[in-house]
């Protein structure tokens, strides 16, 4: 499938949060007032003014304490479940750019059921704007990309964690990097690589980074896998 993709190599992320700040600056988003929650992650969650968030996880891996960093954002699914649900009400509320594949939310999302759209997302990404009611998330910096520029987060990253380009080039880069990482980290994997345009390389199981890094979450029967969700939507159509 053509279009654009990100490749995010989490083995190189240092949680500098440059991507998080660059996203806010480019989109002119307001800061989120927070309080100390006992950790370094800030703010605590995505919001209508935070589309990119570096999540911190302190875990024990093979008997050793580890910090795992996850620069979260919308995955821009190849077949976005949020759009499938929205299309049942308003096909123009959530659109997919034909050139890049970016999943874009419009002002018409304010007429949708925000909870229903959020529940449809396998990664729990959409957030409503409390002032307008419109749903919000990363838009792949579509204004920059269509003018030949890199997304702000990728442009800012100082550690070679984030990459962006034609999908096949990103798939090739991800596969090559995975082969390198597996020499020392045999459990490393590319997360949901066949389903999304934001491809994460995790050096340990995705669940150790964050519950929603991976779409399918075995052991939690109330949460459907991508395939199960698409099947359910098809039956309801």
């Amino acid at each position: 499938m053509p279009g654009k993709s990100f490749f995010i190599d989490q083995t190189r992320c240092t949680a500098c949060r440059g991507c998080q700040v660059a996203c806010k600056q480019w989109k002119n988003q307001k800061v989120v007032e927070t309080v100390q929650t006992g950790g370094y992650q800030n703010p605590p969650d995505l919001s209508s003014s935070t589309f990119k968030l570096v999540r911190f996880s302190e875990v024990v891996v093979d008997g050793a304490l580890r910090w795992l960093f996850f620069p979260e954002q919308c995955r821009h699914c190849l077949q976005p479940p949020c759009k499938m649900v929205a299309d049942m009400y308003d096909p123009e509320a959530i659109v997919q750019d034909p050139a890049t594949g970016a999943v874009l939310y419009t002002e018409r999302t304010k007429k949708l059921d925000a909870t229903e759209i959020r529940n449809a997302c396998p990664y729990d990404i959409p957030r409503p704007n409390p002032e307008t009611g419109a749903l919000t998330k990363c838009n792949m910096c579509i204004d920059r990309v269509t003018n030949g520029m890199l997304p702000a987060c990728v442009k800012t990253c100082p550690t070679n964690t984030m990459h962006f380009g034609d999908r096949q080039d990103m798939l090739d880069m991800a596969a090559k990097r995975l082969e390198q990482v597996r020499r020392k980290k045999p459990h490393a994997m590319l997360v949901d690589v066949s389903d999304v345009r934001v491809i994460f390389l995790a050096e340990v199981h995705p669940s150790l980074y964050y519950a929603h890094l991976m779409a399918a979450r075995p052991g939690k029967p109330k949460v459907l896998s991508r395939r199960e969700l698409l099947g359910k939507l098809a039956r309801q159509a």
Side-chain angles (χ1 to χ4, degrees), residues 31-42:
V31 298
V32 178
E33 186 174 349
T34 61
V35 296
Q36 174 56 249
T37 59
Y40 292 106
Q41 180 179 310
N42 188 47

Side-chain angles (χ1 to χ4, degrees), residues 147-197:
N147 283 285
M149 303 167 68
L150 289 172
C153 58
V154 178
K155 178 69 174 178
T156 302
C157 179
T159 61
N160 212 30
T161 295
M162 304 195 67
H163 307 267
F164 181 84
D166 292 339
R167 179 165 176 80
Q168 190 57 54
D169 290 342
M170 294 299 99
L171 290 172
D172 293 343
M173 180 186 293
K176 183 177 180 180
R177 178 59 181 162
L178 177 63
E179 183 180 359
Q180 295 172 342
V181 173
R182 276 185 170 170
R183 294 169 189 168
K184 293 184 177 180
K185 305 287 184 179
H187 299 297
M189 62 183 291
L190 299 175
V191 181
D192 296 340
V193 63
S194 299
D195 300 316
V196 297
R197 292 187 181 277

